Amino acid sequence: MARIVMKFGGTSVGDIDRIKNVARRVKAEVEAGNEVAVVVSAMSGETNKLVDFCRQIAPLHDAREYDAVVSTGEQVTIGLLALALQEAGVNARSWMGWQLPIRTDGAHSKARITTIETDTIIERMSQGQVAVVAGFQGLGPDNRVTTLGRGGSDTSAVALAAALKADICDIYTDVDGVYTTDPRIVSRARKLDKITYEEMLESASLGAKVLQVRSVEMAMKHNVRVQVRSSFSDAPGTLICDEDEIVEKELVSGIAYSRDEAKITLVKVADRPGVAASIFGPLTDANVNVDMIVQNVSHGGGATDLTFTVTKTDLERAVQVLTDARETLGYQELVADSNVVKVSVIGVGMRSHAGVAQTMFQALSAKGINIQVISTSEIKVSVLIAEEYTELAIRALHTAYGMDAA
Ligand code: ASP
Ligand code: MG
């Protein structure tokens, strides 16, 4: 017997038949003798619709009322799933966030969970009752409903699993696991059996939209074993777990990419102490996140070029800030380029193995792809390249690291 949390996303509860399918899966776990809590999202499309209603009334809406509106999608699905379970002969009841309660801070529309009161549901689960809990929502310090940011039901599920000390948190979704790279780009991408929290965090923050980033942070912090799997098949998914649980570590576990990048080059900036601070200070003040940075070799004559990346959405603001400060910064020219993509190779294996970056550079050079900027961390090497080479680069790297499925 195990205690498990099962989470179902929007497509998995997208219509009545699918909700009945979820009830069947939950029933199977109950009949196998497990204690079960279920976390559900709103039916697919519902949250978008609710967000849009708020925007139509007021583009700059009161976040507390926004939360009152957008949290309702999950109320519908918990009630329907509890009914479907009862129809299937399973003892079940629904729980809104405030009924447990799931306590959060007061940051409406992007609140963080602080505590979850579990005494009552633990008692009922031990008596065989399934707890069907609304994802995405919580209760703020002033007793108003909060929401956790888009995709927040993943975080609800992991937080509940941590609070319940569950043996596993199964995240059922419309993909059957975590892949070595985007299968739409590489047909021979492989599903991973296991991936470490760190690697998953890197790929989640690089835009692989399988899980909300916060849910992975939470799982890592509380050591919750999370399995991503399909709600439409019985195949095992991908286990996200501690490094110690992975016996055969792969050198590289995946290739991620992000199209949400733009490059800025400041030509002929004065090459003297304090210049970087005077450039990045105003960008920080304007809330622009700078990611990769390179400073080129000096031109001689005390000037150098400085290149860095920001997100595409921040590009306009960054250019504005730097143009306004041109007098003080004293650069000759500003060149902006949003026709770029960041491609990253991720793997905890590179902590202990040299040569991972070199393999990447060679594979790209063999395809004639020019690397514009490079950045590295302990478990990741990223390069910035021209956007039109995205697919070519990812395929070449996938092959170079021996990840192609047989
Ligand atoms: N329903 C919410 C959303 O669409 C939360 C979730 O699905 O995880 O963002
Ligand atoms: Mg989701």
Side-chain angles (χ1 to χ4, degrees), residues 105-121:
D105 64 16
H108 283 273
S109 83
K110 46 180 184 301
R112 282 180 186 269
I113 295 174
T114 49
T115 57
I116 302 183
E117 180 55 55
T118 51
D119 289 355
T120 313
I121 61 168

Side-chain angles (χ1 to χ4, degrees), residues 75-108:
Q75 179 166 354
V76 173
T77 45
I78 54 170
L80 291 175
L81 180 57
L83 286 175
L85 284 164
Q86 289 170 6
E87 283 303 298
V90 178
N91 180 8
R93 85 152 261 194
S94 65
W95 297 88
M96 302 274 286
W98 62 266
Q99 290 172 316
L100 287 178
I102 296 173
R103 283 280 174 195
T104 72
D105 64 16
H108 283 273

